[in-house]
Amino acid sequence: MRDDTGIGGRRGRFPTTRLSAVREAGSSDPATRERGFAAIIDGYWKPVYKYVRLRWREDNETAKDLTQGFFARAIEKDFFEGYDPARGSFRTYLRTCLERFVANEKKAANRQKRSPGAALLALDFTDAESELHREPASPEPLAD
């Protein structure tokens, strides 16, 4: 039986990066692009959420907003198109993008966090929150 609640399985590790999904996310074909982003989001939304909660000590609702906002912006601005496997791991690239995103969001804290027309992603934060309470207090780095 597959453990869908674990990050990368029962050991709590990050999933193995599927470079094919990263390439698909940069495709000009809308269906391929959507499939690539879906695979990336499915594999990394929970680690991103937990990292935001632990690294920046954000409350549950703020971490939800930042996680949603990060992936929405990643799709909108083609964050992953700039990834080059020859320069480093995808997790390091993802963490760098996330760090910049959160820093920019903190600078702009007075603006509306969710624009009225923004698409919301269906993410199970309740499950991630329950896992968070069963794990050590220090965040697992997004980098290898």
Side-chain angles (χ1 to χ4, degrees), residues 36-85:
F37 273 115
I40 292 169
I41 291 167
D42 184 55
Y44 284 99
W45 78 263
K46 203 180 293 185
V48 164
Y49 169 76
K50 290 178 180 181
Y51 190 77
V52 168
R53 287 275 283 133
L54 296 171
R55 165 69 171 84
W56 287 287
R57 301 179 192 270
E58 294 293 354
D59 63 59
N60 181 9
E61 291 304 313
T62 301
K64 286 178 185 179
D65 286 344
L66 288 169
T67 302
Q68 289 270 353
F70 172 70
F71 284 110
R73 183 78 50 84
I75 292 167
E76 176 188 334
K77 299 292 184 182
D78 293 324
F79 280 4
F80 307 132
E81 191 172 280
Y83 171 64
D84 178 3

Side-chain angles (χ1 to χ4, degrees), residues 4-140:
D4 288 333
T5 61
I7 298 173
R10 297 179 191 275
R11 299 188 139 216
R13 300 216 176 253
F14 283 86
T16 301
T17 300
R18 289 183 30 223
L19 292 179
S20 61
V22 177
R23 282 190 297 275
E24 286 178 350
S27 173
S28 59
D29 176 59
T32 302
R33 181 180 168 82
E34 186 176 324
R35 187 174 54 246
F37 273 115
I40 292 169
I41 291 167
D42 184 55
Y44 284 99
W45 78 263
K46 203 180 293 185
V48 164
Y49 169 76
K50 290 178 180 181
Y51 190 77
V52 168
R53 287 275 283 133
L54 296 171
R55 165 69 171 84
W56 287 287
R57 301 179 192 270
E58 294 293 354
D59 63 59
N60 181 9
E61 291 304 313
T62 301
K64 286 178 185 179
D65 286 344
L66 288 169
T67 302
Q68 289 270 353
F70 172 70
F71 284 110
R73 183 78 50 84
I75 292 167
E76 176 188 334
K77 299 292 184 182
D78 293 324
F79 280 4
F80 307 132
E81 191 172 280
Y83 171 64
D84 178 3
R87 297 186 66 194
S89 75
F90 180 71
R91 289 180 282 196
T92 298
Y93 182 83
L94 181 74
R95 188 194 74 231
T96 301
C97 290
L98 177 62
E99 298 262 350
R100 289 178 181 164
F101 173 80
V102 172
N104 288 336
E105 287 298 297
K106 288 185 171 290
K107 286 180 186 174
N110 293 330
R111 71 182 163 110
Q112 185 178 5
K113 289 195 183 281
R114 293 184 188 173
S115 61
L120 294 178
L121 304 171
L123 307 178
D124 184 4
F125 288 102
T126 304
D127 185 50
E129 191 67 23
S130 69
E131 286 181 18
L132 188 62
H133 292 290
R134 294 188 308 258
E135 295 178 4
S138 63
E140 180 180 334

